[in-house]
Amino acid sequence: MGEQKAGRDEEFRAFAGSAWSRLLRTAYLLAGERHGAEDLVQQTLERTYVAWERVRAAHDPNAYVRRILVNEHARKFRRRLTEYLVPAVPERPAPAGADPDDRAALLTALAALPPRQREAVVLRYWEDLTETQTAAAMGCSVGTVKSQAARGLAKLRAAPALSELTTVGGGR
């Protein structure tokens, strides 16, 4: 019995170690700041450990854990916690020629989106999930994903700080 638990714990540790940075990037965009993102990932992994037998038996364990992450974020939002996106040390290097001010403008505009629109935009375009995968992660219909993502993108395009980056001749 002890060997079985030790093997299960080691399997979970390996999964958590490999998923940490990906979950942290997504959580950062959802939660708005690094410490909140780390807390969100930690809570997600706590719930994942408790449900590890179901997670590892799932067809796609990463999708299962992503759903836990989004649910944890939604649970915090229901408590009406304020979220702020602040430019922090990038989780991954910026592309060559990228302007840090552009990144800060994007994070500021993303922070202004309502949480469901932010979730749809982050999961659909940052995580590069399909509409079906995004709907599964958000616990809603594909139509809701389409409408929330479209509204979120429209607000991002209309954001004053981003408008100069998206106009013809104004961007890089």
Side-chain angles (χ1 to χ4, degrees), residues 74-152:
R75 183 174 290 117
K76 280 187 168 188
F77 172 69
R78 281 192 293 271
R79 289 188 222 136
R80 303 277 187 225
L81 293 179
T82 304
E83 299 172 329
Y84 300 98
L85 281 175
V86 293
V89 176
E91 297 300 320
R92 56 181 156 180
D99 185 352
D101 292 335
D102 293 352
R103 182 181 176 93
L106 177 60
L107 291 175
T108 300
L110 196 57
L113 294 178
R116 290 293 280 184
Q117 289 177 12
R118 187 179 331 144
E119 287 173 4
V121 169
V122 167
L123 292 173
R124 182 76 177 93
Y125 300 104
W126 178 267
E127 286 288 319
D128 199 27
L129 300 180
T130 65
E131 290 167 342
T132 305
Q133 291 170 325
T134 302
M138 291 176 63
C140 62
S141 70
V142 171
T144 300
V145 169
K146 289 179 179 181
S147 65
Q148 292 295 314
R151 288 179 186 144

Side-chain angles (χ1 to χ4, degrees), residues 9-171:
D9 287 352
E10 188 56 39
E11 186 180 11
F12 172 77
R13 256 188 236 106
F15 175 83
S18 69
W20 178 265
S21 62
R22 180 180 33 79
L23 290 171
L24 186 61
R25 282 192 304 268
T26 303
Y28 176 76
L29 292 171
L30 292 175
E33 50 93 21
R34 179 150 179 110
H35 298 293
E38 289 173 348
D39 289 346
L40 184 58
V41 172
Q42 184 64 35
Q43 291 164 350
T44 297
L45 290 175
E46 287 172 8
R47 288 191 178 269
T48 300
Y49 180 77
V50 170
W52 183 240
E53 292 301 319
R54 287 189 309 265
V55 171
R56 69 187 246 201
H59 173 68
D60 185 356
N62 289 316
Y64 196 110
V65 174
R66 189 172 32 251
R67 175 69 186 263
I68 294 171
L69 178 77
V70 171
N71 287 345
E72 283 298 309
H73 175 257
R75 183 174 290 117
K76 280 187 168 188
F77 172 69
R78 281 192 293 271
R79 289 188 222 136
R80 303 277 187 225
L81 293 179
T82 304
E83 299 172 329
Y84 300 98
L85 281 175
V86 293
V89 176
E91 297 300 320
R92 56 181 156 180
D99 185 352
D101 292 335
D102 293 352
R103 182 181 176 93
L106 177 60
L107 291 175
T108 300
L110 196 57
L113 294 178
R116 290 293 280 184
Q117 289 177 12
R118 187 179 331 144
E119 287 173 4
V121 169
V122 167
L123 292 173
R124 182 76 177 93
Y125 300 104
W126 178 267
E127 286 288 319
D128 199 27
L129 300 180
T130 65
E131 290 167 342
T132 305
Q133 291 170 325
T134 302
M138 291 176 63
C140 62
S141 70
V142 171
T144 300
V145 169
K146 289 179 179 181
S147 65
Q148 292 295 314
R151 288 179 186 144
L153 288 175
K155 286 184 180 180
L156 289 175
R157 286 184 188 110
L162 296 180
S163 63
E164 68 184 42
L165 300 176
T166 59
T167 58
V168 177

